[in-house]
Amino acid sequence: MMAGEPAEFSPAAARLRIDDDLELLYWQPLLPAERAERIFRELLDALPWQQPSVRIFGKRHPVPRLQSWHGDPEAEYRYSGMTLTPEPWTPALERVREAVSRVTGTSFNSVLANLYRDGLHTMGWHADDEPELGPDPEVASVSLGTARDLALRRRGTSRTHSTLRLEHNSLLWMPAGMQRDWQHALPRRKRAAGPRINLTFRRIGADSR
């Protein structure tokens, strides 16, 4: 905790009923305002951002965002043909992890940081369902910076079911079962000005619960 900051900050969660089988929890704000802004700037400047490429139909294409994978030493992660070895936790990431664990009551051993530099940076339809996450993972998604829309759809369909506006300094809790039945995406938004950082906290390995 930094000098001048409150010893405790206990935000309340809003319940977002998406459908009969899906209810999300949403905290906004997650952190005191000044602390959230400091952490956002620190992450922008200090994380070792990279732009990896993925193989699609035999050709490699750069992903439309920057990434940085952090976690405990054993938290190796594989997705889209990439194997990510974790960088160490930074002080800013540790502070966010502590806040997320406090409000959700859940511990995490890894985080995928994505940097969307503007509204043209996107994330396609997917589910966070890699084997390393276990059979029914829970994911905590923190947003810092420019607000962006998160689109949701049921697996096996092509129609967007719902769209959520994820504001600066917010936490979206994706419960067990969601990754099995639903997909999510961050659509292109040409009018979105400024960068956004998304931190998705995960548990890698069966012994991380």
Side-chain angles (χ1 to χ4, degrees), residues 18-53:
I18 305 302
D19 212 332
D20 291 342
D21 63 343
L22 181 62
E23 182 178 81
L24 308 179
L25 296 180
Y26 182 70
W27 289 261
Q28 203 283 326
L30 171 66
L31 301 164
E34 291 185 4
R35 187 186 308 177
E37 186 61 28
R38 265 200 313 272
I39 288 175
F40 175 57
R41 297 299 168 187
E42 185 176 334
L43 294 175
L44 275 177
D45 295 338
L47 292 192
W49 297 107
Q50 299 178 351
Q51 188 172 23
S53 60

Side-chain angles (χ1 to χ4, degrees), residues 27-201:
W27 289 261
Q28 203 283 326
L30 171 66
L31 301 164
E34 291 185 4
R35 187 186 308 177
E37 186 61 28
R38 265 200 313 272
I39 288 175
F40 175 57
R41 297 299 168 187
E42 185 176 334
L43 294 175
L44 275 177
D45 295 338
L47 292 192
W49 297 107
Q50 299 178 351
Q51 188 172 23
S53 60
V54 295
R55 186 177 296 277
I56 302 175
F57 299 117
K59 295 183 178 180
R60 300 202 71 86
H61 302 271
V63 300
R65 60 195 170 276
L66 303 184
Q67 296 182 342
S68 192
W69 174 251
H70 296 258
D72 297 347
E74 74 279 3
E76 191 173 83
Y77 186 46
R78 288 175 291 275
Y79 84 104
S80 296
M82 296 183 289
T83 299
L84 304 181
T85 299
E87 297 283 343
W89 293 96
T90 70
L93 289 174
E94 283 280 20
R95 291 197 293 275
V96 181
R97 176 166 68 155
E98 290 170 2
V100 170
S101 295
R102 184 174 65 252
V103 300
T104 65
T106 303
S107 62
F108 299 93
N109 65 359
S110 53
V111 61
L112 179 62
N114 282 296
L115 170 57
Y116 302 88
R117 290 182 287 192
D118 54 37
L120 300 182
H121 270 197
T122 65
M123 175 77 78
W125 287 108
H126 70 288
D128 299 322
D129 58 356
E130 289 75 21
E132 293 93 334
L133 300 178
D136 218 1
E138 299 167 317
V139 177
S141 177
V142 173
S143 296
L144 297 167
T146 300
R148 292 287 296 269
D149 295 331
L150 183 75
L152 301 172
R153 73 181 184 187
R154 286 190 176 277
R155 279 184 179 266
T157 69
S158 59
R159 181 179 64 86
T160 297
H161 179 283
S162 305
T163 301
L164 305 176
R165 186 74 167 171
L166 301 182
E167 300 289 345
H168 169 61
N169 191 18
S170 66
L171 165 62
L172 182 70
W173 175 255
M174 302 182 184
M178 177 178 174
Q179 308 302 325
R180 181 186 64 244
D181 300 327
W182 293 78
Q183 293 180 319
H184 53 281
L186 195 81
R188 178 177 297 186
R189 292 291 186 262
K190 292 183 179 180
R191 294 184 179 181
R196 171 186 184 255
I197 291 175
N198 179 233
L199 306 173
T200 50
F201 290 86

